[in-house]
Amino acid sequence: MRKSSSTAEKHAFDDAELSLLDRYWRAANYLSVGQIYLLDNPLLREPLKPEHIKPRLLGHWGTTPGLNFIYAHLNRVIRARDLDVIYICGPGHGGPGMVANTYLEGSYSEIYPDVTEDLAGMRKLFRQFSFPGGIPSHAAPETPGSIHEGGELGYALTHAFGAAFDNPDLIVACVVGDGEAETGPLAASWHSNKFLNPARDGAVLPILHLNGYKIAGPTVLARMGDADLRSLFMGHGYEPLFVEGSEPRDMHRQMASTLERALDGIGAVQRRWRNGETENACPHWPMIILRSPKGWTGPKQVDGQMVENFWRAHQVPVANCREDANHLKILEEWMRSYEPEKLFDADGRLEPELRALAPSGARRMGANPHANGGLRRRELIAPDIGRYAVAVPRPGATMEQSTKILGHYLRDTLSLNQAQANFRIFGPDETESNRLSSVFEVTDRTWMAEIRPYDVQLSPTGRVMEILSEHLCQGWLEGYLLTGRHGFFSCYEAFIHIVDSMFNQHAKWLKVSRELPWRKPISSLNYLLTSHVWRQDHNGFSHQDPGFIDLVANKKADIVRIYLPPDANSLLWVADHCLRTYDRVNVIVAGKQREPQWLSMEEAVQHCQEGIGIWKWAGNKDGSTGPDVVMACAGDVPTMETLAAVDLLRTHIPDLKVRVVNVVDLLALQSREQHPHGLTDEAFDRIFTVDRPVVFAYHGYPYLIHRLTYKRTNHENFHVRGFIEEGTTTTPFDMTVLNELDRYHLAIEAIRRVSGLKAAHVVEALRAKLDEHGRYVREHGEDMPEIRNWTWER
Amino acid sequence: MRKSSSTAEKHAFDDAELSLLDRYWRAANYLSVGQIYLLDNPLLREPLKPEHIKPRLLGHWGTTPGLNFIYAHLNRVIRARDLDVIYICGPGHGGPGMVANTYLEGSYSEIYPDVTEDLAGMRKLFRQFSFPGGIPSHAAPETPGSIHEGGELGYALTHAFGAAFDNPDLIVACVVGDGEAETGPLAASWHSNKFLNPARDGAVLPILHLNGYKIAGPTVLARMGDADLRSLFMGHGYEPLFVEGSEPRDMHRQMASTLERALDGIGAVQRRWRNGETENACPHWPMIILRSPKGWTGPKQVDGQMVENFWRAHQVPVANCREDANHLKILEEWMRSYEPEKLFDADGRLEPELRALAPSGARRMGANPHANGGLRRRELIAPDIGRYAVAVPRPGATMEQSTKILGHYLRDTLSLNQAQANFRIFGPDETESNRLSSVFEVTDRTWMAEIRPYDVQLSPTGRVMEILSEHLCQGWLEGYLLTGRHGFFSCYEAFIHIVDSMFNQHAKWLKVSRELPWRKPISSLNYLLTSHVWRQDHNGFSHQDPGFIDLVANKKADIVRIYLPPDANSLLWVADHCLRTYDRVNVIVAGKQREPQWLSMEEAVQHCQEGIGIWKWAGNKDGSTGPDVVMACAGDVPTMETLAAVDLLRTHIPDLKVRVVNVVDLLALQSREQHPHGLTDEAFDRIFTVDRPVVFAYHGYPYLIHRLTYKRTNHENFHVRGFIEEGTTTTPFDMTVLNELDRYHLAIEAIRRVSGLKAAHVVEALRAKLDEHGRYVREHGEDMPEIRNWTWER
């Protein structure tokens, strides 16, 4: 085995070595084509016949040979330098390549023992690909060594950086396809280098793979000249190293020496920083720009049309092999051009001199434990929430900012896990705005660029990751979680929609990986959505949207949880609980403004554990006969308005029997069959009655409550108030009035719904109050004193 | 008025001119501060008192002086060169600046005559800002001259390019804040220059405004050195021109000459291309990088802490002016530092020598008709859909790819509007894949970079905008629509979630602008979602998500429409209809694969106009007594499976009375009160009966149907099948089986729900078919012949 040396120039690669490497690459290419095409005759021991071909040809050849080329060369340096490397395959379409390589190195068969390293196993390997009951055509949770789903493009590089944070010995090789490079999230991701600390973090080696084409046209980056590309990436803080061409021998030589240079460059940065030679600026890191033909080594032409090095190579380059003898011939010649008989022995095993080129054990990229993060996950050390409890001598007696209290908890969680370096907080420049600023007592914002004397809370060792890109926050956090760590993402509620699709794809990943016994559980992705719709009165309509919950509620029940803690103590319980869960997405919605506190810690714990409950202290004469009306609420502002409405009802109609129900765990409303937290029908009926009106004040779009409860006995008596898209710049209380979620509307609704209640005069009085409110805010620009100063007294 | 000259060096700016410009800038700054703070005493004619201050201080100062600086300088060149310019204010927080400037130039008072150009008007201007019943604190639809909402960041530059396309005489000045520059969509937007044709399009002048800070920390780009910035933007294809400093006189001089250079540069590129000196490469365009202090000219320090040129200047730099006499004093000194008495006359009117600095009429950026696109909108010329009708001699007799047929219609629409140059098609590299390739018979993909001899369908004059970024497609289209043109966006269904938040913000814009009589209607944003969940069997779970509809359905009824045409003729009607509407978002979901055609054009027109209807020809003995079961469907695949289920029921239980209902216009299911297309309860009951079971096969998540129908009489008998998150790589039919939306499951459900029906043996036979299917696909990798070859015969 060759030893590494300190500069790239010293490396001379002898022909024999590169020739072996080329054969290894051909083996991977052969297996990739086989997966796309073959049902049988895997090693072409007999002439190819139509019945050997799959009836539906589904897979992507175009990107694959380049991915295989990179994989083979990474194998070489992993062995030569004993490196710890994972491979992020940005071109999702490269599934066949990832599968082929993990099969060649043996990690595939270890995980899937039925896909043996012999002829029968190769047949299975080919057959299962993109086949019913088999494996997807993209890199996926099923793919060994992957933490990155092929499919929606844009997130390869953020995942790579997320994986590298706090993993000082890891190198994340990240292939970015030139299609993906056109996406917004990827374009922003290049700036991630400004957040990577060479002393405490690992390295990311971006490999921009310009194979020139997307599905049906050229790519933007591939048609940029080398000078522009160099300028662009140098501007981004990288040192681009080019590998360009198509002649395999020359390309192997270029790639081998360039990879050495890149690794030397990474080593140099790391040594400097780890020796304390830090700079007040981001270091420039090496990256590789690889220009190689799309569909490299595949058919040059099919039916007179250019295929190799053109977009026609994107998917299945020669498509009618079952029907068209000429196509079948092209395929056979193509496959035989790799000379499979020189790559695999009589039993279908990879020749030993080739097998020796793969790293062994956990150094194999398909077996690297970082890429099965649950293997490396250490439990988060969380403090006792009791330490942060807000004293609530009686309901409503205390005012507090709930997220500020949570900040204390997060601060100490950061401290407790400082030594094991596996917890970070993520958010788009809003940690302070979201009132989590206590965390800055023990850490800073991560910042690798220049720090000026008057700056505060910035440091290369900070554990709060802020960039004004929800995409990057989400992507970094996903990469961090997928490699076995913990994190917490706080975001303005309205703008979390920016990552709808990323949430979606992560939830899909979790669903599939939960079904794979070899994938060990990873920590949940925890969102705190604050600066929410009901307190965006100052920012106006563009900042008002509670719809993320609806998206989340579409997912499988075992993957998602939605919590709406009504006050600080319940928020503490919920956040602490979420941080201890795994393989889920938890969404917590909580306010950052001063608001009444309802529950002591003891009460909060009980209430949150149940997820939903009757607040007896808030109700009115709800005895053996049950209530006249149920006032239900979910969310902090709806809870306050509901209690204020109960207050009004008590004042105006003291004999009305009112029950107050508060919901923390939203999916408890669903049936037990639909969600593990769902209430049984009996419990639901006990709480909501079977025949009394339920006035439900809900944080988000009201339809969701109907969707969750439509199967319940009493559903037809549910009257839900929530956000009905009426928002603007106004006062906090006026926002609730515009959406008819305020105390007056709730009280009026209750009165209207209780049959036989004669209280027209009360309705009139309440309507007059609404008018008075309207006049007052337009005159004074703030809410009436009786609204601002309202407190719950009993 | 000075005349333009051809090179920047020739410009000499005399002190008097710059001094006037500076006063204009100070007037804008003064008005900006006034809006944030003052209830009264607008011109400080008396000493400032606490009661003059707003009770809630809501607004953003930090970015505003820089925006005002740019506005004043743009005014100068508009006058000097008689330019047609609109201003895109990327820093959404700059609302006060946009309002101040449009007030100064007079366009504000023209639109809002109650805000007069005198002392009383100024008082109103100040008072209304961020005040209940007033205007938002961000640039918004209410802001004259704006096509861009402040709020969610990332889309300024795509909007700018969208506005510039096909507007050869327009210059779009686009201020990009350094916060926004961190976002993904913005980062990708720089590549838009590769799609802008200097001969036929206008110009975008990006002004990257580095004021250094976000809410609570520095920005990534501001802490990059000039060398890296220059390299980055040169790599992106721009020629960056720097303006840096804080001393006003020097900054005015720099900005004036730099703006001249930039405009000269734009002119040079345009002349070259318009004279036919085209190059086979993108031209490099000028851009400006403006480094100026955050909160420039504001308080330097407050309470001993640095404010100007730091993030503390972000929002309200001095916050307790009502309570803290020192704060009040700082504010008064700050406001008086602009010398309002030298800017406004005794009546509160801008001094005439300053007013003369603003352009006049439609040249004022607040009155430019491009920024109120409906004013310039010309009707789309659409062909008669009858020309593309698929012959359907009897239901199911024809097989066709619906989107391919639509491609013919779009092709001719492109041709018909070629002369008025106001229609483009947008999509992320999927026009071909989505089977719309007929459009390439008359146009190409827009492509400004190198074109090689073997390339096809690429040209600088193409009207199909493809980039692998849904964000850019959406942003370009929004900019194009907002300036009065028409467009069509086709996208893979699963990945449209990438632009959830952009859809959201555009819908918000439409809601508000519809309420403003001066904003003229613009064309609707039309989505075609294809390559949908039921035909992503080959791409697998990552490509399977029909949830965008749920997001859309949360919006106000007058803004959104959702169509699920079951075949080609109905797709033609729907697309044609959508292209003729305005101020809406239309979502069309339709398949691209070969599928049975049900309706002749005449039938399709009638069915689509009604939006929902009983398909009598598909039902069975549904006479005077009504059906035993209603089989409802929405979406092409659900329709096919429903008809196949009806087929099975007819074979096995010939006496069962089956009614088939098809839904095209999804929101017709809602009540008339909720949506203008909603069916009356009477009509709904007539179609769905009041007591018979309804088996509803729906394209998306089944919950939505419940949400839309829960108030209907017969809702409790609705049994909905749809996507329940069960997806993978398999066969098309197996996808429906996994989600229990297939013919067998539907037929079984119908049998189970019809009370008193004795058909256990049929259920058993159908279950056996499901088993047979499962075995077959896993063995053969394709669907059973009886599934593949099924046709509707009657």
Side-chain angles (χ1 to χ4, degrees), chain A residues 56 127 182 214-215 223 231 429 450 455 468 500 504 508 537 541 544-545 556 726 779, chain B residues 56 127 182 214-215 223 231 429 450 455 468 500 504 508 537 541 544-545 556 726 779:
Chain A
R56 302 163 73 232
R127 196 182 168 84
E182 295 178 7
K214 301 179 295 235
I215 303 179
R223 290 284 166 103
S231 180
D429 189 30
E450 185 196 357
D455 280 329
L468 211 164
D500 275 7
N504 225 346
K508 284 175 181 286
D537 42 288
F541 192 43
Q544 292 156 348
D545 189 298
K556 283 275 177 191
E726 291 298 339
E779 171 69 19
Chain B
R56 302 163 73 232
R127 197 182 168 84
E182 295 177 7
K214 301 179 295 238
I215 304 179
R223 290 283 167 103
S231 181
D429 189 30
E450 185 196 356
D455 280 329
L468 211 164
D500 275 6
N504 226 345
K508 283 174 181 286
D537 42 289
F541 193 42
Q544 291 157 347
D545 190 297
K556 284 276 177 190
E726 292 297 339
E779 171 71 19

Side-chain angles (χ1 to χ4, degrees), chain A residues 55-56 58 60 127 130-132 136-138 149-153 179 182-185 187-188 191 194-195 213-221 223-224 228 231-232 234-236 284 306 310-311 429 432 445 447 449-452 454-456 458 467-469 471 495 497-498 500-501 504-505 508 511-512 537-539 541-545 550-551 554-556 701 703 706-707 710 715 724-726 729-732 777-782, chain B residues 55-56 58 60 127 130-132 136-138 149-153 179 182-185 187-188 191 194-195 213-221 223-224 228 231-232 234-236 284 306 310-311 429 432 445 447 449-452 454-456 458 467-469 471 495 497-498 500-501 504-505 508 511-512 537-539 541-545 550-551 554-556 701 703 706-707 710 715 724-726 729-732 777-782:
Chain A
R56 302 163 73 232
L58 306 169
H60 293 78
R127 196 182 168 84
S130 234
F131 202 79
S137 67
H138 301 68
E149 175 105 37
E152 188 172 295
L153 299 176
E182 295 178 7
T183 67
H191 286 303
K194 276 94 179 174
F195 297 84
Y213 300 91
K214 301 179 295 235
I215 303 179
T219 60
V220 168
L221 277 87
R223 290 284 166 103
M224 287 168 63
D228 276 354
S231 180
L232 178 64
M234 286 185 66
H236 271 307
H284 278 218
M306 178 172 175
F310 202 52
W311 52 256
D429 189 30
E432 186 96 29
R445 291 178 182 82
W447 193 255
E450 185 196 357
I451 297 177
R452 295 181 182 161
Y454 46 81
D455 280 329
V456 292
L458 293 184
I467 187 166
L468 211 164
S469 165
H471 290 115
F495 302 147
H497 275 302
I498 291 171
D500 275 7
S501 53
N504 225 346
Q505 295 294 333
K508 284 175 181 286
K511 172 176 182 284
V512 176
D537 42 288
H538 58 301
N539 275 321
F541 192 43
S542 68
H543 286 55
Q544 292 156 348
D545 189 298
D550 299 70
L551 183 85
N554 274 342
K555 295 290 149 194
K556 283 275 177 191
Y701 290 100
Y703 329 107
H706 291 295
R707 201 188 103 174
Y710 71 86
H715 174 252
I724 50 171
E725 290 277 308
E726 291 298 339
T729 306
T730 184
T731 65
V777 292
R778 271 146 203 81
E779 171 69 19
H780 297 274
E782 62 183 348
Chain B
R56 302 163 73 232
L58 307 170
H60 293 78
R127 197 182 168 84
S130 234
F131 203 79
S137 68
H138 301 67
E149 174 105 37
E152 188 172 295
L153 300 175
E182 295 177 7
T183 67
H191 286 303
K194 278 96 181 173
F195 298 84
Y213 300 90
K214 301 179 295 238
I215 304 179
T219 60
V220 168
L221 277 86
R223 290 283 167 103
M224 287 168 62
D228 276 354
S231 181
L232 179 63
M234 286 185 68
H236 271 307
H284 277 217
M306 178 173 176
F310 202 51
W311 52 257
D429 189 30
E432 185 95 29
R445 291 178 181 82
W447 192 256
E450 185 196 356
I451 297 177
R452 296 181 182 161
Y454 46 81
D455 280 329
V456 292
L458 293 185
I467 187 167
L468 211 164
S469 165
H471 290 115
F495 302 147
H497 275 301
I498 291 171
D500 275 6
S501 53
N504 226 345
Q505 295 294 333
K508 283 174 181 286
K511 172 176 182 283
V512 176
D537 42 289
H538 58 301
N539 275 323
F541 193 42
S542 68
H543 285 55
Q544 291 157 347
D545 190 297
D550 299 71
L551 184 86
N554 274 342
K555 294 290 151 197
K556 284 276 177 190
Y701 290 100
Y703 328 107
H706 290 296
R707 203 189 100 174
Y710 71 86
H715 174 252
I724 50 171
E725 289 277 308
E726 292 297 339
T729 306
T730 185
T731 65
V777 292
R778 271 146 203 82
E779 171 71 19
H780 297 273
E782 62 182 349

Side-chain angles (χ1 to χ4, degrees), chain B residues 61 65 295-301 307-308 317 334 338:
Chain B
W61 166 247
W296 196 10
T297 73
K300 300 237 178 296
Q301 284 210 334
V307 174
E308 193 198 27
W334 171 20
Y338 299 118

Side-chain angles (χ1 to χ4, degrees), chain A residues 117-404:
Chain A
E117 295 185 63
D118 55 18
L119 209 56
M122 193 186 292
R123 183 177 174 275
K124 267 197 185 144
L125 185 84
F126 288 2
R127 196 182 168 84
Q128 68 172 11
F129 177 80
S130 234
F131 202 79
I135 63 168
S137 67
H138 301 68
E142 291 93 335
T143 316
S146 179
I147 61 164
H148 179 78
E149 175 105 37
E152 188 172 295
L153 299 176
Y155 318 127
L157 203 49
T158 49
H159 285 167
F161 277 91
F165 294 141
D166 291 315
N167 267 329
D169 298 325
L170 183 66
I171 294 179
V172 185
C174 178
V175 184
V176 177
D178 47 355
E180 180 172 27
E182 295 178 7
T183 67
L186 199 291
S189 299
W190 297 107
H191 286 303
S192 301
N193 55 2
K194 276 94 179 174
F195 297 84
L196 184 113
N197 178 341
R200 71 164 172 185
D201 301 325
V204 172
L205 175 61
I207 302 166
L208 177 64
H209 185 203
L210 304 179
N211 69 25
Y213 300 91
K214 301 179 295 235
I215 303 179
T219 60
V220 168
L221 277 87
R223 290 284 166 103
M224 287 168 63
D226 283 1
D228 276 354
L229 284 172
R230 179 174 286 113
S231 180
L232 178 64
F233 289 105
M234 286 185 66
H236 271 307
Y238 297 87
E239 171 72 29
L241 307 171
F242 287 81
V243 174
E244 309 185 38
S246 62
E247 199 284 302
R249 181 157 302 265
D250 172 54
M251 286 292 276
H252 285 303
R253 203 173 296 277
Q254 279 189 55
M255 186 68 182
S257 67
T258 303
L259 207 42
E260 296 289 347
R261 273 185 67 191
L263 292 166
D264 289 349
I266 288 171
V269 172
Q270 289 182 337
R271 264 193 309 280
R272 225 161 56 229
W273 277 75
R274 292 175 190 189
N275 292 338
E277 300 164 41
T278 59
E279 302 134 44
N280 190 11
C282 291
H284 278 218
W285 292 94
M287 69 175 285
I288 293 174
I289 298 180
L290 168 64
R291 285 195 198 261
S292 71
K294 186 149 188 156
W296 197 10
T297 73
K300 300 237 178 297
Q301 284 209 335
V302 174
D303 299 337
Q305 291 202 296
M306 178 172 175
V307 174
E308 194 197 27
N309 204 17
F310 202 52
W311 52 256
R312 290 195 194 92
H314 182 75
Q315 207 162 341
V316 177
V318 46
N320 298 318
C321 302
R322 273 192 156 195
E323 298 79 23
D324 182 328
N326 185 42
H327 279 203
L328 187 66
K329 182 159 166 281
I330 292 173
L331 173 62
E332 181 159 6
E333 283 172 6
W334 171 20
M335 294 196 74
R336 291 199 189 277
S337 76
Y338 299 118
E339 303 181 297
E341 63 285 1
K342 297 184 184 167
L343 310 172
F344 300 94
D345 69 13
D347 297 329
R349 279 190 191 82
L350 187 64
E351 293 287 354
E353 73 270 26
L354 298 183
R355 180 58 187 268
L357 298 184
S360 56
R363 286 302 196 226
R364 292 170 301 175
M365 290 186 283
N368 192 307
H370 290 287
N372 183 4
L375 288 173
R376 293 182 49 92
R377 178 177 180 264
R378 296 178 61 185
E379 289 296 331
L380 189 75
I381 308 168
D384 177 2
I385 56 173
R387 292 172 52 190
Y388 316 99
V390 174
V392 182
R394 54 188 172 71
T398 315
M399 296 290 284
E400 196 44 89
Q401 297 176 287
S402 298
T403 57
K404 185 177 138 200

